[in-house]
Structure formats: C-alpha cells, structure tokens
C-alpha cells in the first residue's frame, strides 16, 4: 500500500517532537544531579591513625597521632573524641579540636593512660571527628602487655618539714622486666622550700629496687601550710608517680617570760633565809610537747636558787626562791634562768641584787619599835621579812610616828628605798602609814625595807610593820557580747573603764570561748596604752572558762579602752568569743 507524502511528513514531525522531549528530560535529569547537597558544599574529610597499632604495659601511657585529611576543600574546625573506652583506660588529646587547610592534613596527639587493674589483651579504640552532622571515625588497636617497667613508691601519705630545717624522704624505684634509667622529678613544692634527690637518674634493674633520698629544705621564708606533692619517674614513654601531702610547719618551741613583772628583777639579803622570789612561765609555741627542765647560771658565790617544780611537762609556771648566805658578795649581778627541752634551750636574763645583812634592824610582824632618835638629816633603815603565805591576797602595811620631830618615811619591796626609788612614801606624825599591795600570785617570802629620814631632830619616834590578808576592794567590768571567730581573722572585744580612779592596780582577766580546735587560737589583752599581754598561744588549755590571768598594772591608768584580742590563724573550724571580764584589785571604788 502506498502512503501519501502528506501523511509521511506528519509522522516525521511527530517522531522529531518525541525525540526532542526525551532529550530535554535527559538534560534536566543531568542538571539536577549536578546540584550539590549541603554536605557537598563544605567538602569532606577522612581520619587515620599513625601508628594504627600501639602497645604498652599497665600503669603507663602510650601515644599515637590522629591524622585528619581534607577532601573537596574541607577546612572546618573538627571536634575529636574517643568512643566506648574500656574501664581503666583514659584518653587525652594534645588538641581536642583541629582545623585542616583546604585539601591538606592536620594532626593531634592522642595519649592513652592504662591503669594498674586493666586486663592484659587487645582493645580497639574508636576515635571520632565531627563537624555538625558530618562525622567520620578511625580505629587504633591498643595492646596491653604483661607488666614490665617500674614503680615509684614512698612510705605513707604525708611528710613534715619544719621551717628553718631539712627533712629526708626515701623514694623507692622498683624495676621488673625493665632495665632503663629512670629520671625523677617532684612537683607542687611551695615557695621557700627546695627539693633535691640524692640520686637522679636511678637504675632499678630488671628485678631490683633502688632508693633515692628526697631532701626538703624549708627556709625561714617558707609559709606554713599543707601542699600536695607529686613525685614522678619517667623512662621513655613510661611514667610512674607517687603522691603525698607535704606539711610545712613551724618548729615546736617554747618561750620563757616573767609572771606579774615586766622584767626579771630579784633582790636577796645576806643571811636572811629565803628573801627573794621570782615566778616565770614556760609558754609552748607551735605544738611543743616535751618536758622543760629549769636551771640557773651566773649566780654569785653564796647565792642559791630553788625551782618548784624543777621540770614542767610540757609547759607551765615554776617558782624560784633565792637564798644568800652571810658570805655572799654584796652588789648587782647578771644571771640567767635556763629552760631546756630536748635540743632546744632558752635563757631569761635575771638582774640579781645581793643586799647586806640587816638583822639588827629587823622588825617583827605587827610589833612596834619605839624610842628611835635621829638628828636632822640622819636616816635609819629597817627591814621585815614576810614568810611564805597561802592567802589569796595580802598587803603590807607600815606606820610611822615621828615623835618630837618631822621627817619622811619610805618603803620599798625587795631592796632599800631611796628618795627617788620607793614603793610608798609618807610624811607627818603618828598615824601616817604606807601600804603595798601585791599580786595575788605573790605568796612567796618577801623582804620589805623601811627608811626613816629626819627632817628635824626627833626623839621618841616609833615604827611598826604588818603583813597579812588585806580584804581589799575590787571592781569588775565585763563585755557579754558574742563575737564570731572565723578562720584567719582577728577579733577584738572592748571593755571601756571610765569611772575608776588612779592606777589599775592588779588586774585579773578571764574569758569564755567556744571553738572546735582550741590550739588554733592566740589570745591577748590589749591595755589602753596599746601594749599587748599574751594570755594563750595555740595551746590546748581551758577556754570555757579560761584560767585566771593576773597582771601587775600599778604603773598603768585604770580608765581607758581595754581589749581582748582573739586571733585564729589556722584553717579549719570557727568559733565564738562568748564574754570576758576584767577585775581591778586595789583601785578606789567609783562614786555611787
């Protein structure tokens, strides 16, 4: 059958149109495939490990490198991590985030630390890198082998070094299946303290141990405290360490000081029995805990001193009674009270005066000497010795009657008075008296000297002296306000006296504190003139209430601001100053 040309031409047009539509669809599909996704827009990267297999023994570290390679211009910061680490193995990167140059590579060191309890075997460790949703990984195979290497060991978990001294700590390096030198180091040593090994490096050997002595030397500039110390041994990639706490402490010590006096002054009379006394206290410093034995040096011939007690343990007061024979030389002498505890010795200077024998003019207690005659300008010296007394308080009272004349009467404790050096002075006729009040602690024997100086001729003069319980008046002041005592703080509680007259006399101090660690505390009394008097210094004594502290403040004004200062200079624990009181003995009572 013959097809007309017109129909053939139409079929040809249709075929061409079909081909064109198919071509257009193919081009469109190819165009869509060429459009990049969001991931393809930033490029890609791969991870690798160099080396990919590592091995080490327990209690050691081993390292490998993570290699990140950029693909398709990738240059983004990539976070590194380790997935599913076995127990006892820890990982750390030298850089936990790395950024490659486009089409370049970058590395980060991966260090694996293997603890003592990890089982021997192989462990695949997966290392990951990620940026947003893009993540890749690589695997390093870790083989933990049987123990081979060394250990660093020290005895105990703490070590003490005293300020100004040195101490030694043995460090043991034990080797097993190992025969390389080990270099020792120490970290965490505080300022003012040096640390040196006697042997460094050490060679423990395959089945041996070697000791190196670590010497800590604390200078006087070292600061008291507790410091974590790490001793490290390094041999190649194997690192071992031992830790302990270094305590830098002040050296335990003690101090000697006089009780009730600003200086150690003693006067003793020839052939008068016990005629001089002194009381001192051994005060502990920085946890002193050894007995202290007392002695005396530099006494002149014929003078002796007796201590009661001769030894305190570990601290406390001692009483010293002085006696001079008839042959003891008269004059002033320098002696020293010596306190010795362990290898520590301290000396307290003593000024000693030996007075001539004055028995012909010795007075009896409460007995009047009569019939004394003196010409104008003449003087006569008497003395009376008060024996040892158990009374809580006592006073010495003396009276003078100038008879037909006039004169001046001087009284001094422990040594003859002069016109400028005396404890009491009086002028007039019969009924004039001098009184000396003593520290309540002063129950020792004491010699008093009484001097009559005639201003005009006198006849029929008389003198009498008396010692005994005085029943004197007292005035008390207190501050009941609570003061919080925090670590490393200083607290001051004031008491203001404004209605007393004259000097303070003898002052007693008591206080009450609550604190879990009483050895943390230093307590001082601050007088109105600013002078500080130590009541306790980091000792384990009573604080609620405290012992009674008594001072001779006859040379200080009673009125003014008195303060109790409490210092807590040790970390750990806080407390409260509850209250404190001052007792003024022998002062004139205020007007009521």
């Amino acid at each position: 059958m013959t097809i007309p040309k017109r129909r053939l031409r139409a079929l040809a047009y249709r075929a061409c149109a079909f081909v064109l539509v198919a071509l257009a669809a193919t081009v469109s599909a190819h165009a869509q495939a060429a459009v990049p996704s969001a991931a393809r827009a930033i490029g890609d990267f791969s991870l690798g490990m160099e080396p990919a297999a590592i091995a080490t023994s327990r209690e050691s570290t081993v390292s490998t490198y993570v290699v990140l390679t950029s693909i398709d211009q990738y240059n983004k910061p990539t976070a590194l991590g380790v997935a599913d680490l076995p127990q006892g193995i820890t990982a750390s990167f030298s850089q936990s985030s790395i950024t490659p140059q486009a089409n370049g590579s970058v590395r980060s060191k991966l260090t694996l630390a293997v603890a003592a309890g990890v089982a021997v075997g192989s462990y695949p460790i997966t290392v990951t890198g990620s940026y947003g949703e893009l993540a890749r990984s690589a695997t390093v195979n870790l083989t933990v082998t049987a123990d081979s290497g060394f250990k660093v060991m020290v005895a105990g978990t703490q070590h003490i070094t005293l300020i100004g001294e040195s101490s030694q700590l043995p460090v043991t390096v034990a080797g097993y299946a190992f025969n390389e030198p080990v270099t020792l180091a120490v970290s965490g040593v505080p300022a003012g303290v040096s640390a040196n090994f006697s042997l460094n490096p050490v060679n423990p050997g395959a089945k041996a141990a070697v000791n190196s002595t670590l010497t800590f030397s604390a200078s006087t500039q070292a600061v008291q405290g507790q410091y974590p110390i790490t001793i490290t041994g390094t041999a190649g990639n194997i690192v071992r360490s031992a830790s302990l706490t270094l305590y830098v402490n002040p050296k335990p010590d003690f101090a000697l000081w006089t009780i009730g006096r600003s200086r150690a002054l003693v006067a003793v009379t020839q052939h008068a029995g016990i005629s001089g006394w002194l009381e001192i206290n051994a005060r502990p410093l920085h946890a002193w805990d050894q007995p202290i034995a007392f002695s005396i040096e530099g006494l002149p011939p014929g003078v002796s001193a007796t201590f009661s007690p001769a030894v305190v343990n570990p601290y406390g007061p001692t009483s010293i009674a002085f006696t001079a024979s008839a042959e003891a030389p008269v004059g002033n002498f320098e002696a020293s009270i010596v306190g010795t505890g362990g290898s520590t010795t301290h000396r307290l200077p003593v000024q000693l005066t030996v007075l001539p024998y004055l028995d012909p003019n010795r007075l009896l207690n409460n007995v009047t000497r009569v019939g004394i005659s003196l010409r104008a300008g003449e003087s006569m010296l008497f003395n009376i010795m008060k024996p040892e007394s158990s009374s809580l308080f006592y006073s010495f009272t003396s009276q003078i009657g100038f008879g037909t004349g006039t004169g001046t009467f001087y009284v001094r404790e422990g040594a003859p008075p002069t016109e400028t050096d005396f404890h009491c002075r009086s002028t007039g006729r019969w009924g004039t008296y001098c009184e000396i009040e003593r520290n309540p602690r002063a129950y020792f024997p004491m010699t008093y000297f009484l001097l009559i100086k005639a201003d005009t001729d006198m006849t029929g003069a008389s003198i009498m002296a008396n010692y005994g319980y005085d029943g004197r008046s007292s005035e008390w002041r207190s501050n009941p306000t609570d003061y919080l005592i925090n670590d490393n703080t200083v607290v001051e509680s004031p008491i203001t006296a404004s209605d007393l007259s004259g000097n303070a006399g003898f002052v007693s101090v008591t206080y009450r504190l609550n604190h879990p660690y009483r050895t943390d505390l230093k307590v001082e009394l601050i007088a109105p003139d600013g002078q500080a008097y130590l009541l306790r210094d980091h000792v384990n004594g009573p604080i609620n209430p405290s012992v009674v502290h008594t001072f001779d403040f006859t040379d200080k004004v009673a009125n003014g601001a008195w303060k109790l200062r409490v210092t807590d200079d040790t970390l750990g624990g806080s407390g409260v100053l509850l209250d404190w009181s001052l007792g003024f003995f022998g002062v004139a009572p205020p007007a009521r």
Side-chain angles (χ1 to χ4, degrees), residues 485-486 489-493 511 513 515 520-524 536 564-568 576-577:
I485 307 168
N486 288 319
T489 59
V490 178
V491 172
E492 290 187 348
S493 173
Y511 55 85
L513 294 164
H515 198 284
D520 290 2
L521 303 177
K522 177 181 179 182
V523 183
E524 300 168 284
R536 69 179 289 119
L564 189 75
R565 177 185 294 164
V566 182
T567 303
D568 182 342
V576 178
L577 169 60

Side-chain angles (χ1 to χ4, degrees), residues 322-362:
F322 292 85
T323 304
S325 68
E327 292 76 25
V330 175
N332 296 319
F333 303 91
E334 294 291 334
S336 296
I337 295 169
V338 182
T340 302
S343 61
T344 302
T345 298
H346 290 291
R347 288 172 170 81
L348 179 69
V350 177
Q351 182 178 330
L352 176 70
T353 301
V354 179
L355 304 171
Y357 178 59
L358 301 173
D359 193 64
N361 287 332
R362 169 143 312 164

Side-chain angles (χ1 to χ4, degrees), residues 83-128:
D84 302 324
L85 272 175
Q87 186 175 1
I89 300 176
T90 58
S92 62
F93 292 95
S94 60
Q95 299 177 75
S96 59
S97 177
I98 52 179
T99 303
Q101 294 184 354
N103 295 331
S105 62
V106 64
R107 293 174 172 233
S108 178
K109 185 177 182 180
L110 169 62
T111 299
L112 299 175
V114 181
V118 176
V120 172
S122 295
Y123 298 90
I125 307 295
T126 301
V127 180
T128 62

Side-chain angles (χ1 to χ4, degrees), residues 230-292:
T230 300
I231 300 168
T232 303
T234 303
N237 288 331
I238 302 177
V239 179
R240 301 286 188 268
S241 63
S243 300
L244 76 158
T245 300
L246 176 66
Y247 290 81
V248 178
N249 292 339
K251 180 181 178 181
D253 202 353
F254 65 91
L256 302 178
W257 55 293
T258 57
I259 297 177
R261 300 183 183 183
S262 59
R263 291 189 302 161
L265 304 175
V266 180
V268 61
T269 304
Q270 292 175 324
H271 199 54
I274 298 176
S275 56
W277 64 271
L278 186 65
E279 190 172 13
I280 66 169
N281 192 32
R283 175 165 51 91
L285 302 173
H286 313 308
W288 176 266
D289 62 354
Q290 299 186 49
I292 301 171

Side-chain angles (χ1 to χ4, degrees), residues 157 171 453 580:
T157 59
V171 178
K453 183 176 181 182
W580 71 290

Side-chain angles (χ1 to χ4, degrees), residues 95-342:
Q95 299 177 75
S96 59
S97 177
I98 52 179
T99 303
Q101 294 184 354
N103 295 331
S105 62
V106 64
R107 293 174 172 233
S108 178
K109 185 177 182 180
L110 169 62
T111 299
L112 299 175
V114 181
V118 176
V120 172
S122 295
Y123 298 90
I125 307 295
T126 301
V127 180
T128 62
S130 61
Y131 174 77
E133 296 181 356
L134 181 60
R136 299 290 182 261
S137 64
T139 300
V140 58
N141 190 65
L142 170 66
T143 300
V144 177
T145 63
D147 290 347
S148 64
F150 62 92
K151 289 186 178 181
V152 176
M153 297 172 288
V154 294
T157 59
Q158 62 184 34
H159 182 73
I160 298 175
T161 295
L162 302 179
I163 295 175
E165 296 189 358
S166 298
S167 64
Q168 285 73 43
L169 175 68
V171 178
T172 301
V173 180
Y176 42 95
F178 184 83
N179 194 18
E180 294 183 20
V182 177
T183 301
L184 298 174
V186 58
S187 61
V189 179
V193 179
S194 63
N196 296 285
F197 292 96
S198 62
L199 183 63
N200 195 15
V202 297
N203 291 278
K207 294 183 179 180
V210 63
N211 287 331
S212 179
T213 300
L214 176 57
T215 299
F216 293 99
S217 298
S219 70
T220 55
Q221 284 73 44
V223 178
Q224 179 183 4
Q226 304 175 20
Y227 303 94
I229 300 296
T230 300
I231 300 168
T232 303
T234 303
N237 288 331
I238 302 177
V239 179
R240 301 286 188 268
S241 63
S243 300
L244 76 158
T245 300
L246 176 66
Y247 290 81
V248 178
N249 292 339
K251 180 181 178 181
D253 202 353
F254 65 91
L256 302 178
W257 55 293
T258 57
I259 297 177
R261 300 183 183 183
S262 59
R263 291 189 302 161
L265 304 175
V266 180
V268 61
T269 304
Q270 292 175 324
H271 199 54
I274 298 176
S275 56
W277 64 271
L278 186 65
E279 190 172 13
I280 66 169
N281 192 32
R283 175 165 51 91
L285 302 173
H286 313 308
W288 176 266
D289 62 354
Q290 299 186 49
I292 301 171
F294 297 104
S295 60
I296 193 165
E297 298 174 343
L299 287 179
V303 177
S304 62
T306 302
F307 292 86
S308 180
V311 177
V312 294
N313 188 7
Y315 56 86
T318 185
S319 307
I320 313 167
F322 292 85
T323 304
S325 68
E327 292 76 25
V330 175
N332 296 319
F333 303 91
E334 294 291 334
S336 296
I337 295 169
V338 182
T340 302

Side-chain angles (χ1 to χ4, degrees), residues 22-103:
L23 288 174
T26 302
V27 171
S28 176
H30 281 292
Q32 290 181 12
V35 176
S37 66
R40 295 297 182 183
I42 62 172
D44 200 352
F45 67 90
S46 65
L47 287 183
M49 307 301 300
E50 294 183 1
I54 52 178
T56 189
S57 61
R58 290 174 287 198
E59 291 188 277
S60 63
T61 61
V62 65
S63 299
T64 184
Y65 287 90
V66 181
V67 181
L68 186 153
T69 302
S70 169
I71 301 173
D72 293 334
Q73 306 295 315
Y74 179 82
N75 62 351
K76 300 300 180 182
T78 306
L80 299 178
V82 178
D84 302 324
L85 272 175
Q87 186 175 1
I89 300 176
T90 58
S92 62
F93 292 95
S94 60
Q95 299 177 75
S96 59
S97 177
I98 52 179
T99 303
Q101 294 184 354
N103 295 331

